Structures are given as structure tokens and as C-alpha cells.
Amino acid sequence: MENIAVKEDTPLLEMRGITKDFPGVRALDHVHLTVRRGTVHALMGENGAGKSTLMKCLFGIYEKDAGDVLLEGRPVEFKSPRHALDQGVAMVHQELNQALSRSVMDNIWLGRYPARFGFVSQGEMYQKTEHVFKDLGLSIDPRRIMSTMSVAERQMAEIAKAVSYDAKIIVLDEPTSSLTEEEVGHLFRIIRMLRERGCGIIYISHKMEEILQISDDITVMRDGTHVATEPAAQMTMERIIHLMVGRELSNRFPPRISKPGEVIFRTEGLTSRYANVKNVSITLRQGEIVGLAGLAGAGRSELMENIFGISARECGKLYLGDREIRNRNPREAISNGFALLTEERRATGIFGILNITDNTTVTSLKNYRRLRFLLSDRKRREDTDRMIRRLAVKTASRETQIRTLSGGNQQKVILARWLLTTPTILMLDEPTRGIDVGAKYEIYQLMEELAAAGKSILMASGELPELMGICHRIYVLSGGEITGEVDAATVTQEEIMTLAAKNV
């Protein structure tokens, strides 16, 4: 990159009037973002606010429809992530995309291996990697295979990769979602070191305490628009929440038509053998939507997985009606009328290379048996078409590969998969994560219709307005334990956050 004199007061990065449309949805509407040199700039907003879309437009993953990007005052137009990296803009994604069977140094220098006489120089690559690690205070063996490392170590390696590109801008997307307190402290030390060197850090997170601790400036987005940019020193948690929500919840959620009946499911003293679930007792009524709230690591997903038989149970009991059940594995849970939509849609939800028909019918194949070993393709197609119509899945045909659909439509297909099993208890882990506002409403509407038809729904979410807007009751978890049960119609976000921080 050419060395061009840059005025001291020139912003490191400016994004002006960025607009991005998807079919039927305006994801970004003339958004602007200014990042000063040597600062940590937090980008906040609910899931679906447009944060990731804005960063993908910056990083060359999406092509923006309108607007300008200036890097150190110079207009830039990144055509690909590699182009952005070469120009000094790096992004560490929440879902790390790494070659797990290769070494750390292979991952860092992939596509730009140091070579001598046409051959990769392993020695030079090792030395360069060690230099970057030493500079960041990391003690990781460059020859270590990625798959043997913890998520935190892999994340640090990804940050080291960004630094190896001499990045001026580094985007960190939910960097602490899987880190311990000690690992978060190490990450913050690295961030402060990079800030002192003049690097600009764009920090995306839902954790407000972290944001207020590490940030210099905070930008809040809502529904694809820029709401406010203010110095972090002048922000409070209440102010951030107000800017993020900023409207009546009734505008975002369908009218309540379901009426809870008798208790249909309950747990008594549920404790996981390995996961973070301790002495959990909850109830779920017929036709009721119950929420699970809590900070990252509180045990929401672990509780659902334990109920579904994915993780081992140390002690505790499950009751469906008056009958005690075991749910020792997912097969037994499904036969008892349970369904689980997992948190990580791409990792544990969809079969990306398969079409919509295969993804929709995979958990209910026994319903399509013809003779002993054959399946009725006609009935599978009929059921898939019926679910596409019912859930308004936007697709060219049932033969479309699911990985080509939007996140919201992928989620609808997974929901269709579980609805075909005719569950009594439907457990939804972050059902609207990463999908647009319009698709969120459609999923809320479906949940309300299912509850009105007598289905019982247990829902985990990191979005407090979502839980307050769609649920009847909310259990709050902290440190794997239930710290409170609240009425979703009367509780405040501050009350939930107080309960969520009780065991932190």
C-alpha cells in the first residue's frame, strides 16, 4: 500500500450513507459510521439491527447498493475479503472459519505463504508466526493443529492473523461469547495494545458491561438505521437499552391469542453431569410460551440440551403430565414428543448441501416408509410443499439447496422439520438469531399460533425485548441456576438483568 500523508484529524474509517437491499427487505438504510484512529468503537443493536450486514459491506462480502467507504480519507471499494485484508481491514467472525486439520501457522499465512525458490519456507513461516505471537503476548505453538485448541486460543490466533496483515481496522464480532473471565481479560489487554498503536477496533457485542469497559465510542443501530453515536463515557446501560429498543414492543410482536392451561411438563432438581445446569426446577403449561433469559454462559442452551437427552444428567426428574420420563437420548426425547431447534443453525441445524425436502423430512423418515427399506418420495414432496406454504418459505423450489436460502428461511425450514414430528414440547434456542425483522415477526406469529393450538414452547434468547414481547413467563438463569421467575407482561429489562447478574 502506498504511504500517503494523512492529516491527524482524518477519521481512520468513514462509512457514509450505506444502503443494502435484499429481496423484500431493506437491511441497511443510509447508515453512517465513523471510526477514529486509536479507538475502540462499539457497534450495538438487537439481532437483525444490521450490524453484521454493515460489516459485511465493509469487508467485501456483500456489495452495497449505495454509499461510500473512506479509509484514511481515501475512497475504497473492497471486492472481496482478501482485497479488504490487503488494504488493512480485517474481521474476526463470531463463527470462526478455520482449517482445523492444519497447523496454526498454516491458518495464519494461508494464501500468502513465504516461499524460497518456489517452495514454502516452513522455517520462515514459523519465525514470522512466533514474532506476531510474541508481539501480542501469546504463548501458542505455531505448529499446533487447530482442532486441538480451545475456542479462545483459536480466536487469539485469528486476531494474530489480522495483526499479521498490518490491519488498520479490525472488526471483532461477539469476541467474548465463548471466553472465560480470564480469557476476556487477556483479549482486552490485546485490544488496548492495538489501540495504543493507532489501530481502530470495531467491537460488536450484546454485553453492555464489556462495551462500557472497553469502548471509546458507541454506535447504536436499529432496524437497519443509524440511531446514535455517543462517547462511551457519557453512556449508561439504561441509555443503551433505550436507544436499542426505542419503540413500543407491541409494534414488533403479534397479538396474544394463546391462553395457558394445565401444567404439561416439569423438571425437578435437574442437574447436568458435565454442563452448567444445577438443580433446575421449571414448569411449562399447555399452550404456554416460557422464556429462558440469562447472560452468555448462564446455562440456557445446556438446560434445553439436557432435557432433550443430548448431555448427561447427574440427577433430577422430568415429568410429562403425570408420567415420569427419562429422555436419555434425542431419539427417546422425540418419541416422547420433544423437539429442539438448536442455537447454531449452520453448525447443528441445517444439512447445507441437501435440498429443502431432505432437510424438512429428515427427523420423520419413519413416516415415509414404504415396504421395509424404501421411502415414499411423493409423500415427502407433498409434506415439504405443505410446510413451505404454511411457513411462507421463500424459495424457488423444494429442490433448492438450503444453504442458498436466507437465514430466516433456513430457520423456517428447520421449524418445519420439527413440526412434522408433531411435538408436544417445542424447545427453541435463539430462534430469531441473525435474521431480519420481517422474518422475526413471521416466526413470532407462528409461535403464537402453535401455542394457541395447544403446543407448549420453551424458548431461550439473549434478546430481552423478544422474551418480554412473546413469552407468558420468563425464567432467569445465572451460573446454571434459576435465579428468578417473572411475569413477561410486567417485568422490566433492568429487573431481568439484575437477576441474570446474580451469580456472575
Side-chain angles (χ1 to χ4, degrees), residues 148-202:
T148 66
M149 297 167 61
S150 68
V151 173
E153 290 171 322
R154 288 171 51 202
Q155 194 170 55
M156 296 301 180
E158 199 69 12
I159 294 172
K161 179 178 180 178
V163 172
S164 74
Y165 275 93
D166 294 325
K168 296 180 174 68
I169 292 284
I170 299 178
V171 181
L172 301 177
D173 189 358
E174 296 286 355
T176 64
S177 58
S178 303
L179 304 187
T180 65
E181 188 174 339
E182 182 179 349
E183 291 164 344
V184 170
H186 192 184
L187 173 65
F188 281 6
R189 287 193 292 273
I190 291 176
I191 289 175
R192 292 188 180 102
M193 183 193 308
L194 295 172
R195 178 171 60 185
E196 290 170 2
R197 297 177 183 179
C199 189
I201 308 291
I202 300 176

Side-chain angles (χ1 to χ4, degrees), residues 275-334:
N276 190 26
V277 178
K278 307 169 187 174
N279 194 31
V280 171
S281 298
I282 64 172
T283 60
L284 184 60
R285 294 176 173 84
Q286 186 174 17
E288 185 179 34
I289 303 175
V290 170
L292 297 177
L295 302 173
R300 294 169 302 172
S301 299
E302 290 84 351
L303 174 58
M304 288 184 165
E305 290 172 354
N306 198 282
I307 292 172
F308 198 61
I310 292 176
S311 61
R313 194 170 303 130
E314 181 70 34
C315 61
K317 296 181 179 181
L318 307 178
Y319 292 91
L320 188 61
D322 295 328
R323 178 172 60 96
E324 183 178 354
I325 58 174
R326 302 292 296 275
N327 285 6
R328 288 164 290 196
N329 52 60
R331 183 187 296 274
E332 186 175 339
I334 293 170

Side-chain angles (χ1 to χ4, degrees), residues 12-24:
L12 186 58
L13 173 72
E14 287 184 272
M15 302 183 76
R16 302 173 177 171
I18 305 299
T19 300
K20 178 63 181 176
D21 291 321
F22 294 106

Side-chain angles (χ1 to χ4, degrees), residues 405-462:
L405 301 183
S406 69
N409 285 297
Q410 289 179 3
Q411 200 76 311
K412 289 179 185 179
V413 172
I414 303 172
L415 275 168
R417 172 196 301 169
W418 288 116
L419 293 180
L420 284 177
T421 68
T422 60
T424 302
I425 309 295
L426 182 60
M427 297 187 291
L428 308 176
D429 196 353
E430 299 286 0
T432 66
R433 171 175 287 178
I435 64 178
D436 64 74
V437 175
K440 280 187 178 185
Y441 187 89
E442 292 175 348
I443 289 177
Y444 298 148
Q445 200 166 33
L446 174 65
M447 290 171 62
E448 185 60 37
E449 290 171 359
L450 291 169
K455 302 293 184 185
S456 301
I457 299 174
L458 185 63
M459 169 190 179
S461 175

Side-chain angles (χ1 to χ4, degrees), residues 221-232:
M221 293 180 63
R222 185 171 66 236
D223 295 343
T225 64
H226 173 272
V227 176
T229 297
E230 298 180 10

Side-chain angles (χ1 to χ4, degrees), residues 94-96 100 154 305 341-352 359 402-403 410-411 414 417 433:
Q94 181 180 4
E95 297 177 3
L96 299 173
L100 298 181
R154 288 171 51 202
E305 290 172 354
L341 186 147
T342 56
E343 178 181 10
E344 296 297 336
R345 179 173 57 244
R346 294 185 182 276
T348 58
I350 66 171
F351 297 92
N359 272 276
I402 192 171
R403 66 182 178 185
Q410 289 179 3
Q411 200 76 311
I414 303 172
R417 172 196 301 169
R433 171 175 287 178

